[in-house]
Amino acid sequence: MTNRRTVLSGMLGLALAASVSGAALAQDAVKIGLILPMTGPFASTGRQIAAAANLYIQEKGATVAGKKVELIVKDDTGTADVTRRIAQELIVNDKVTAIAGFGLTPLALATAPLATQAKTPMVVMAAATAIITERSPFVVRTSQVVPQIGAPFGTWIAKQGTKRVITIVSDFGPGHDVENSFSEAFKAGGGQVENIRVPLQNPDFSPFLQRVADAKPEALLVFVPSGVGAQFMKQFVERGLDKSGIKLIGTGDLTDDDILNGMGDVALGVITAQHYSASHDSPENKAFVEGFKKANPGMRPNFMAVGGYDGMHALYEGLKKTKGEGGEALVTAMKGMSWTSPRGPISIDPETRDIIQNVYIRKVERVNGELWNQEFETIPNVKDPTKAKK
Amino acid sequence: MLTILFDGVAYGMILFVLACGLSVTMGLMNFINLAHGAFAMFGGYVTVLAMQRLGLPFLWALPAAFFAAGLAGLVLERLVYRPMYARGHLDQVMFSIGLVFMSVAGADYLMGSTQQFVQLPVWLSGRFDVAGIGVGRYRLFIILLCGALAFAMQWGFTRTRFGSRLRAAVDDARVARGLGIPVNRLFALTFAFGSGLAGLGGALGIELMGLDPTFPLKFMIYFLIVVTVGGTSTISGPFFAAMLLGVADVAGKYLVPQLGAFIIYALMVVLLITRPHGLFARGRA
């Protein structure tokens, strides 16, 4: 008996010692849990953000407020229940100061209640549906809000004198957001719009394109998941629609910098609106693109990467202000923060914790043998229009 | 409206080439091979690699895809499929769906998760008008090529010595062996041929349906619909099923886009209720 008791108490002592030393370690380090889809259909998002976050740490050094920054990257394969489980593990076991990442809207929505419960700041670097920041007071977003792009684009297109537009969007959350925000703004500008939704898993676009060809609108707005957009554009050109005077337009997802070069000449002349282009003309962006390409040969940063990069910046600057403290203090520190990002001037809205940024109108052009989204007009300091209305 | 018909036929042709390999293995060899789409994806990636890395022209990349997928089919048949022939259908389903997941992860690891693109030769891109029908050149090419293939296959299975031996081997493998028919070799060749067709379909389909690592899962449902509706005992069954579904899907999406993807399923249900053994099923005892 005594023997067993000694063993037990010994084990208890060991466990105590381990937990004490663990706590001691935790005080020297700031852990950030980065949850991203690194495999599966959305792996491109995860790869871009992880690369950008690592680049940020490499450039700014791995210490902030006298503490060592430790980035824990976890793969959630783009599945909401996995994201939630990983977030829980990171908060409870690893005692992270903040969680970040979140490639898709459902993943962020599934995790938001955890952030509230554990009072852990949650930096959303990709997911773009408007409601996310309303689901927890601990959410800070550094990517974009879909209506933030769609609404000003609708207004701009109407201002160009365009009267009739057809929209084709994939039948899922972000697609509906693009459709609604664009159509509403475009109609307010005096335009007429017809909406078509296509199933998310759609093998062949010919029937929808034929419908567009018969209706002969002045412009066709497309929103489909990133890689599929290229497929769509090819069929658009193959059908001769580019020569029929119908302009192809879309949000920046259509001409994603990550795959733009692979699309070939079909992408030329496509007009899109987005908050970031790898060809954005500023010293900050030149340094960012150069550093990114150097650290990740063969890759070009896209709007996902810049969301990750700026998310890290918000965390770093916030931690500097709180001297490494997390929780509510960190969220408060990030509110109202403003800085010059590779995408241009941005800030975190102190009321909604959502990002305020410029929206650029761009056109795909061939420069130095590569395809780029060349920005030619700026709509400054756009707030999320859905929240502004409330 | 005729343009829609044309588009639908071309789409149906691709579905046919993708699915008929499956109807061969499922109907003739009585093996449930859900990993069929993996061979199609393999053919697609072979095409992409052949064109991007080796600079092979598109027309040469197509046979390359056929033979590479066929060879992969031959090797896998020897190594992993043959022991599964005698097992029950549930085992075969579990086994082949496992292969699908492995192929998805493998393709993701080797090629990345992004969409792959190929550049068609100039004479295959664009379109022209004939009597008010907009004819896409690539789609016309698909219709001609796949139509010829369908004809050759129907002829091969009903009129040649190979075809009759194969049918004999399927109906009763033991008796066929007794008559000196090399059943194992026949099955291996047939399986390789089916896989090759899948590979060719995958290669042809890149332009229309895209290619990424989720391909086998994304399109599995379409192959299965074609094979179930068409029945597995003939070549003409899946052919007409693919045509019908292709045209119905395209026309349905054109006329009532609100219903979207639902039409193809509704049609399948109606067809299965009226003809439960497939469009051209032979009478069963």
Side-chain angles (χ1 to χ4, degrees):
Chain A
M1 271 315 272
T2 38
N3 208 359
R4 189 181 290 169
R5 193 171 290 160
T6 340
V7 171
L8 268 178
S9 61
M11 273 165 71
L12 194 69
L14 268 178
L16 266 176
S19 69
V20 166
S21 68
L25 269 178
Q27 272 171 5
D28 304 324
V30 175
K31 289 187 190 168
I32 296 168
L34 195 58
I35 314 173
L36 294 167
M38 299 298 285
T39 53
F42 304 99
S44 146
T45 303
R47 281 203 350 260
Q48 287 270 351
I49 295 180
N54 281 321
L55 176 69
Y56 189 89
I57 295 178
Q58 193 191 318
E59 282 175 355
K60 305 286 149 97
T63 22
V64 63
K67 294 182 179 182
K68 200 166 158 31
V69 176
E70 199 183 314
L71 196 65
I72 309 173
V73 182
K74 298 263 184 186
D75 178 16
D76 66 5
T77 69
T79 323
D81 52 334
V82 181
T83 317
R84 200 185 151 94
R85 196 196 72 225
I86 291 174
Q88 201 153 14
E89 283 169 9
L90 285 170
I91 292 169
V92 176
N93 299 346
D94 295 306
K95 305 203 166 41
V96 292
T97 310
I99 45 176
F102 309 102
L104 304 159
T105 296
L107 314 185
L109 291 181
T111 317
L114 281 180
T116 315
Q117 231 176 358
K119 294 194 171 32
T120 305
M122 167 172 164
V123 178
V124 175
M125 295 169 163
T129 321
I131 48 171
I132 292 172
T133 50
E134 292 163 1
R135 289 300 166 89
S136 164
F138 288 85
V139 172
V140 174
R141 175 153 49 191
T142 60
S143 51
Q144 56 161 333
V145 197
V146 177
Q148 185 180 46
I149 313 288
F153 193 39
T155 313
W156 186 84
I157 289 286
K159 252 191 228 157
Q160 306 309 303
T162 311
K163 289 276 169 268
R164 246 161 42 80
V165 171
I166 290 186
T167 67
I168 290 186
V169 302
S170 278
D171 201 354
F172 72 134
H176 301 170
D177 267 11
V178 171
E179 181 187 285
N180 294 338
S181 60
F182 177 88
S183 306
E184 215 169 279
F186 183 65
K187 277 186 210 149
Q192 260 186 315
V193 62
E194 187 190 335
N195 302 125
I196 299 176
R197 290 181 181 177
V198 303
L200 197 51
Q201 301 279 18
N202 187 60
D204 182 12
F205 288 107
S206 62
F208 304 107
L209 284 168
Q210 192 55 40
R211 223 183 145 83
V212 172
D214 294 346
K216 292 192 183 56
E218 285 166 73
L220 167 67
L221 176 102
V222 181
F223 179 87
V224 287
S226 162
V228 185
Q231 208 63 39
F232 190 94
M233 257 193 284
K234 281 201 149 182
Q235 294 197 10
F236 182 84
V237 172
E238 188 202 80
R239 209 147 273 268
L241 287 179
D242 55 330
K243 292 183 192 74
S244 66
I246 301 173
K247 267 182 280 175
L248 188 61
I249 59 177
T251 58
D253 311 76
L254 187 62
T255 55
D256 186 344
D257 272 305
D258 202 19
I259 52 169
L260 181 56
N261 255 321
M263 295 181 196
D265 287 347
V266 293
L268 283 175
V270 175
I271 292 177
T272 53
Q274 186 77 320
H275 55 281
Y276 178 70
S277 160
S279 75
H280 179 68
D281 192 14
S282 76
E284 289 86 6
N285 187 48
K286 285 216 174 80
F288 172 64
V289 173
E290 209 172 284
F292 191 94
K293 281 186 168 173
K294 214 165 145 195
N296 310 280
M299 260 169 95
R300 184 199 273 187
N302 68 357
F303 60 102
M304 294 297 180
V306 84
Y309 193 78
D310 287 333
M312 285 310 290
H313 183 85
L315 281 168
Y316 258 60
E317 293 303 309
L319 286 165
K320 273 184 202 164
K321 274 199 217 168
T322 63
K323 303 201 169 49
E325 201 190 319
E328 266 180 281
L330 183 53
V331 177
T332 315
M334 288 192 276
K335 280 184 194 170
M337 200 180 267
S338 68
W339 70 97
T340 308
S341 140
R343 60 184 121 173
I346 59 174
S347 64
I348 307 287
D349 188 337
E351 279 141 37
T352 60
R353 290 159 279 106
D354 226 327
I355 186 161
I356 302 174
Q357 58 189 338
N358 292 349
V359 171
Y360 305 92
I361 312 289
R362 315 95 47 89
K363 188 177 194 172
V364 178
E365 283 168 19
R366 191 175 282 284
V367 181
N368 298 331
E370 283 189 49
L371 294 179
W372 298 95
N373 288 302
Q374 296 292 88
E375 296 168 348
F376 62 88
E377 205 165 320
T378 307
I379 302 160
N381 298 326
V382 183
K383 273 192 184 194
D384 174 14
T386 49
K387 287 186 198 96
K389 256 185 254 163
K390 280 177 189 165
Chain B
M1 200 56 222
L2 282 171
T3 310
I4 285 296
L5 191 68
F6 177 80
D7 287 340
V9 169
Y11 176 44
M13 286 284 186
I14 288 262
L15 281 183
F16 167 69
V17 172
L18 277 170
C20 73
L22 182 62
S23 96
V24 168
T25 42
M26 230 155 104
L28 293 174
M29 298 167 61
N30 199 20
F31 185 88
I32 314 280
N33 180 23
L34 293 184
H36 191 70
F39 290 101
M41 177 175 72
F42 183 69
Y45 276 114
V46 167
T47 311
V48 168
L49 286 178
M51 290 181 71
Q52 285 178 355
R53 305 272 162 89
L54 303 178
L56 230 58
F58 183 66
L59 279 193
W60 284 101
L62 289 182
F66 177 82
F67 285 112
L71 193 67
L74 200 63
V75 172
L76 282 178
E77 200 267 346
R78 259 288 149 79
L79 293 179
V80 293
Y81 276 97
R82 191 167 293 169
M84 299 302 293
Y85 284 158
R87 298 286 196 84
H89 281 171
L90 184 63
D91 285 351
Q92 296 175 349
V93 165
M94 298 305 280
F95 163 76
S96 53
I97 199 84
L99 278 186
V100 171
F101 283 111
M102 280 165 68
S103 72
V104 168
D108 194 297
Y109 178 75
L110 291 173
M111 298 292 298
S113 64
T114 46
Q115 286 275 337
Q116 300 291 335
F117 305 107
V118 291
Q119 293 289 345
L120 287 181
V122 181
W123 58 272
L124 272 181
S125 45
R127 65 195 227 143
F128 54 87
D129 284 307
V130 182
I133 314 172
V135 178
R137 288 187 187 172
Y138 186 63
R139 282 175 194 256
L140 183 65
F141 170 73
I142 285 175
I143 292 179
L144 294 178
L145 182 69
C146 301
L149 255 176
F151 185 76
M153 276 174 56
Q154 175 70 2
W155 184 79
F157 280 109
T158 51
R159 295 268 186 276
T160 63
R161 193 176 146 79
F162 177 82
S164 49
R165 283 172 141 204
L166 181 64
R167 280 179 286 136
V170 169
D171 278 348
D172 197 326
R174 264 182 68 197
V175 173
R177 268 201 198 94
L179 289 171
I181 296 175
V183 172
N184 283 352
R185 210 186 317 151
L186 269 183
F187 275 6
L189 273 178
T190 310
F191 191 84
F193 182 69
S195 310
L197 279 179
L200 180 66
L204 285 171
I206 300 176
E207 192 67 13
L208 293 186
M209 323 201 268
L211 178 67
D212 64 77
T214 57
F215 185 92
L217 282 175
K218 227 176 0 186
F219 293 104
M220 186 164 74
I221 189 83
Y222 288 91
F223 313 147
L224 290 177
I225 291 178
V226 168
V227 174
T228 18
V229 169
T232 50
S233 48
T234 53
I235 295 296
S236 49
F239 179 76
F240 285 105
M243 286 304 110
L244 190 63
L245 292 168
V247 171
D249 195 32
V250 170
K253 281 175 180 164
Y254 176 78
L255 296 171
V256 268
Q258 301 86 333
L259 285 182
F262 184 67
I263 287 163
I264 194 165
Y265 300 111
L267 189 65
M268 178 184 73
V269 170
V270 171
L271 283 172
L272 284 182
I273 288 172
T274 47
R275 300 204 53 92
H277 293 295
L279 280 179
F280 298 96
R282 283 179 285 182
R284 291 198 182 186

